[in-house]
Amino acid sequence: MEYRVAQLEALGRFLDEKKEDILEAIALDMGKPPFEAELSEIFLCKNELHEALNNLSHWVKDQHVDRNLVMQLDSTFIRKDPYGVVLIIAPWNCPISLLLGPLIGAVAAGNCVILKPSEVTKNTERLMAEALPSYLDKDCVALVTAGVQETTRLLENKFDYIFYTGNPSVGRIVMAAAAKHLTPVMLELGGKNPCYVCDTCDVQNVARRVAWGRFFNAGQTCAGPDYVLCSAEMQEKLVPALRKAITDFYGFNPRVSPDFARIVGDTHFQRVQALLRSGRVVIGGQTDEKERYIAPTVLVDLQPSDPVMQEEIFGPILSIITVANMDEAIDFINSRERPLVVYAFSSDDKVVNQVLERTSSGGFCGNDTLMHVMLTSLPFGGIGNSGLGMYHGKFTFDTFTHHRGCLHRNMGREALNTLRYPPYSQQKLGIVRAASEVKRKGACTLL
């Protein structure tokens, strides 16, 4: 316990003492505004850290469980064991929090960790490689810088657990490498997150909340709303409301706004720019390759087969697909891969609950975007194509913990055990069953 706490407190000092360096590195890598960087990188990490430090003494305790009549004099409990040596591979879009967030849970659970930050955000990778090791015990945590070839070789090693955040195609590679050693994995893979907007809602509020969630970090967030599903009538109201929200946030020229980020690299810029050819641009659409700038953009008149509707955008583009009603929106969502998040907006709680009950996703957020990620009390993770496993708060500790079922019996009282030994008889079986069975409690009778 003392060792784990010491490592976590050292990580807290790193975040405090290197805060300005972190903000500068992230700004150099993707022009992420200080407000967004501090909120999504440092603040989220500090919350995870404090949640672990506040509760670790409780989390690590043996969990005692119910016993049957046969074992009333014995000890039955779940021991919280670390897996051993775990590998954490982080992405570039939140290069600090998506690296250190899992690390906090892994160390809290007692594991040794190999960290692999993204090579795409080079300034942040360099900072982490140079500064972090001096804060942590090198026998406990090691950080490696690696590209695709080196990471492929890294995955050939036998780890006790692998935590990967990224895209589904690389997730399959990680899972295949883990399968060779029967290594358990946690995969956070993102996806195309739908956002249903009902006709009965406050359009201005919807526009502001959707625009913030979509254009935060220039759309480079795995949990952001990817496309809107709404009626043609709602689209007519929503487009001007989105235009006003974007202007309120970033001014008439978002390019000069200090609050709007840039695309992380040239390859990503070209990929996102190509998606602008889908549908019709009704807001934004301006680009500057030299600055890797793509304006906050809204597309309409789209087909489900358009490229922008086929891949995770990871850029400042919001697509709008028109549907006749909620049922058609739900059918559209359910016809595609299960997303990381489903969003639903309506002044009618019944509508929000209908979308929740009739869809499947890693998480759900009603009448807002991104805010569910802020809570350490909620699990975060995908399902199906959007991921496997969950983390945040205690869920991260549990992810990196082997829950070991334990029974500790008394060496004496052997006479109590003779009933289970041969020679068998129906009388013995009846007594053993009576002393060991789980009985069904009284059922409720429907009138």
Side-chain angles (χ1 to χ4, degrees):
M1 259 298 288
E2 293 79 6
Y3 179 82
R4 300 181 198 185
V5 168
Q7 293 300 297
L8 293 175
E9 288 178 340
L11 192 54
R13 289 194 298 275
F14 167 78
L15 290 169
D16 289 335
E17 295 171 9
K18 298 298 180 182
K19 174 182 171 180
E20 295 306 319
D21 293 336
I22 290 170
L23 297 179
E24 181 182 355
I26 293 172
L28 287 171
D29 283 327
M30 63 181 81
K32 199 171 189 177
F35 181 97
E36 293 185 359
E38 186 163 346
L39 183 65
S40 64
E41 305 282 9
I42 297 171
F43 178 75
L44 288 185
C45 279
K46 292 299 285 289
N47 274 359
E48 293 288 331
L49 189 64
H50 294 160
E51 181 79 6
L53 288 169
N54 290 343
N55 296 285
L56 188 56
S57 60
H58 173 69
W59 292 349
V60 300
K61 286 181 179 177
D62 290 344
Q63 180 183 342
H64 291 275
V65 298
D66 292 341
R67 294 161 290 182
N68 58 28
L69 185 61
V70 171
M71 300 177 189
Q72 281 301 304
L73 300 176
D74 303 320
S75 178
T76 55
F77 57 95
I78 299 170
R79 172 62 51 87
K80 314 292 181 61
D81 278 352
Y83 273 105
V85 179
V86 305
L87 172 65
I88 297 173
I89 303 176
W92 53 263
N93 61 312
C94 286
I96 300 294
S97 62
L98 295 182
L99 183 73
L100 299 188
L103 172 65
I104 290 164
V107 170
N111 298 279
C112 291
V113 186
I114 293 181
L115 294 170
K116 212 298 283 184
S118 173
E119 72 279 12
V120 175
T121 42
K122 295 188 180 302
N123 293 285
T124 309
E125 179 194 44
R126 186 182 307 114
L127 170 65
M128 297 299 283
E130 292 174 356
L132 186 62
S134 63
Y135 285 83
L136 301 174
D137 185 346
K138 294 179 179 62
D139 288 335
C140 173
V141 179
L143 188 146
V144 297
T145 55
V148 174
Q149 289 184 332
E150 295 86 356
T151 304
T152 302
R153 289 177 59 194
L154 185 64
L155 285 167
E156 292 173 359
N157 291 279
K158 184 182 186 301
F159 293 95
D160 298 300
Y161 197 94
I162 297 176
F163 188 113
Y164 169 76
T165 305
N167 61 61
S169 60
V170 179
R172 292 183 179 92
I173 295 171
V174 171
M175 200 166 186
K180 293 178 182 177
H181 303 290
L182 297 180
T183 299
V185 296
M186 157 85 187
L187 304 175
E188 201 279 87
L189 305 178
K192 295 187 72 62
N193 305 315
C195 177
Y196 173 63
V197 178
C198 178
D199 286 344
T200 57
C201 60
D202 186 317
V203 180
Q204 298 300 327
N205 286 351
V206 172
R208 293 173 69 83
R209 296 176 192 186
V210 170
W212 179 73
R214 175 68 276 182
F215 303 122
F216 189 96
N217 194 27
Q220 298 167 115
T221 54
C222 59
D226 192 284
Y227 62 93
V228 167
L229 295 165
C230 66
S231 67
E233 293 77 15
M234 174 51 67
Q235 178 180 292
E236 290 300 311
K237 301 174 187 175
L238 188 58
V239 169
L242 285 167
R243 184 178 292 110
K244 182 180 186 306
I246 291 168
T247 302
D248 289 345
F249 292 172
Y250 310 114
F252 289 101
N253 183 7
R255 180 177 173 182
V256 298
S257 170
D259 300 320
F260 188 72
R262 297 297 187 263
I263 303 301
V264 70
D266 294 337
T267 302
H268 290 279
F269 173 87
Q270 291 156 10
R271 179 187 59 79
V272 176
Q273 185 182 45
L275 297 177
L276 294 172
R277 303 189 191 107
S278 300
R280 176 168 62 91
V281 174
V282 289
I283 301 173
Q286 299 85 2
T287 66
D288 185 324
E289 187 169 4
K290 185 178 179 182
E291 287 189 21
R292 301 196 305 274
Y293 167 75
I294 295 178
T297 299
V298 177
L299 300 177
V300 298
D301 298 344
L302 291 159
Q303 298 299 319
S305 58
D306 286 335
V308 78
M309 292 300 299
Q310 294 300 309
E311 62 179 81
E312 188 174 12
I313 295 171
F314 248 63
I317 301 173
L318 179 68
S319 306
I320 300 180
I321 298 284
T322 57
V323 291
N325 49 44
M326 179 189 68
D327 291 334
E328 188 174 316
I330 290 172
D331 288 343
F332 187 93
I333 294 169
N334 290 337
S335 69
R336 302 166 80 83
E337 295 282 7
R338 287 183 285 182
L340 184 60
V341 194
V342 166
Y343 294 105
F345 284 84
S346 177
S347 299
D348 185 346
D349 289 345
K350 291 180 180 178
V351 172
V352 175
N353 288 330
Q354 278 282 301
V355 178
L356 170 60
E357 291 172 7
R358 295 170 58 191
T359 60
S360 175
S361 60
F364 178 86
C365 185
N367 291 333
D368 210 340
T369 61
L370 295 186
M371 292 303 292
H372 62 295
V373 181
M374 304 287 286
L375 290 172
T376 56
S377 55
L378 285 177
F380 181 80
I383 183 171
N385 199 65
S386 60
L388 171 69
M390 56 188 177
Y391 72 119
H392 283 191
K394 185 176 183 294
F395 300 100
T396 316
F397 175 86
D398 288 338
T399 285
F400 287 106
T401 297
H402 169 55
H403 291 72
R404 190 178 183 187
C406 302
L407 168 65
H408 185 179
R409 304 210 72 190
N410 191 292
M411 275 297 294
R413 309 186 190 94
E414 185 63 9
L416 296 175
N417 294 322
T418 57
L419 290 168
R420 75 173 198 252
Y421 297 152
Y424 300 129
S425 69
Q426 283 299 311
Q427 183 183 20
K428 282 186 175 183
L429 179 60
I431 295 172
V432 170
R433 286 179 58 183
S436 306
E437 70 177 335
V438 176
K439 295 182 179 179
R440 183 181 178 187
K441 295 179 181 179
C444 175
T445 303
L446 297 177
L447 299 178

